[in-house]
């Protein structure tokens, strides 16, 4: 199993991909989060994300099903909102990893001071286990970039 990295470590390892991924998530407010239900089946829900202080943060309403899912099993997948039409400027981006709930009052307080979320709320920091970007190059190639901690960025091209 891959050991996850926080956003800052990923950004240091792959700065160009990190910039593209953060830009794609920044283009829209709401994205799609996949978690695992009690029975192991997938659950998808909408979610806002924040990139702050070297971390990718997931904030959620109190006792939301997605928060309860992550407390039980921290594995998640997150897909950036593709936006309208078929342009996918910057490509399709997905992040997988583990979400760790933040209980520390100081850390949560700093997040509240900056983001001003409705209270109370659950806050999770993420450990990334995979980042994937898929895009079309020159109207010819489907390009898939796959990053995993401790491995070089893989780029696959298909016609």
């Amino acid at each position: 199993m891959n050991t996850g990295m926080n956003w800052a470590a990923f950004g240091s390892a792959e700065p160009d991909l990190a910039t593209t991924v953060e830009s794609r998530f920044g283009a829209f407010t709401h994205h799609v989060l996949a978690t695992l239900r009690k029975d192991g089946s997938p659950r998808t829900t909408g979610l806002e994300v924040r990139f702050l202080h070297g971390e990718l943060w997931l904030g959620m309403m109190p006792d939301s099903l997605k928060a309860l899912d992550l407390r039980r099993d921290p594995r998640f997948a997150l897909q950036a909102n593709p936006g309208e039409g078929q342009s996918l400027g910057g490509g399709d981006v997905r992040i997988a990893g583990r979400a760790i709930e933040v209980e520390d009052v100081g850390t949560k307080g700093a997040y509240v001071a900056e983001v001003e979320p409705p209270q109370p709320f659950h806050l999770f920091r993420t450990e990334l286990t995979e980042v994937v970007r898929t895009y079309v190059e020159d109207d010819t190639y489907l390009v898939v970039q796959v990053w995993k901690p401790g491995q070089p960025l893989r780029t696959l091209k298909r016609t």
Side-chain angles (χ1 to χ4, degrees):
M1 181 164 98
N2 287 330
T3 302
M5 286 185 169
N6 75 352
W7 188 257
F10 165 63
S12 292
E14 291 297 334
D16 292 340
L17 181 57
T19 297
T20 299
V21 170
E22 194 167 337
S23 174
R24 285 290 300 118
F25 276 98
F28 298 94
T29 302
H30 297 99
H31 308 285
V32 178
L33 176 72
T35 58
L36 296 170
R37 301 171 191 253
K38 283 182 191 176
D39 67 3
S41 64
R43 180 191 318 272
T44 59
T45 53
L47 180 78
E48 295 180 30
V49 302
R50 301 281 180 168
F51 295 89
L52 294 172
H53 309 294
E55 300 286 356
L56 168 57
W57 301 98
L58 311 176
M60 299 168 202
M61 291 173 47
D63 298 323
S64 65
L65 293 175
K66 58 191 160 196
L68 298 176
D69 286 347
L70 290 173
R71 281 180 158 178
R72 188 176 45 260
D73 185 327
R75 293 176 293 172
F76 73 91
L78 180 64
Q79 180 149 3
N81 185 330
E84 296 182 28
Q86 298 178 14
S87 66
L88 277 180
D92 175 57
V93 296
R94 299 179 306 280
I95 298 171
R98 289 181 300 282
I100 293 85
E101 189 161 15
V102 174
E103 302 285 354
D104 176 70
V105 175
T107 302
K108 209 167 177 182
Y111 183 87
V112 167
E114 200 151 339
V115 177
E116 299 179 357
Q119 305 239 6
F121 71 106
H122 296 283
L123 180 63
F124 295 84
R125 69 174 183 77
T126 60
E127 292 181 349
L128 313 180
T129 57
E130 183 179 65
V131 177
V132 178
R133 176 183 178 216
T134 304
Y135 62 98
V136 176
E137 182 180 281
D138 299 330
D139 291 325
T140 304
Y141 301 101
L142 178 67
V143 180
V144 180
Q145 294 177 299
V146 180
W147 172 87
K148 293 182 180 185
Q151 298 179 17
L153 180 66
R154 287 185 316 146
T155 301
L156 312 161
K157 281 188 179 184
R158 293 182 240 176
T159 55

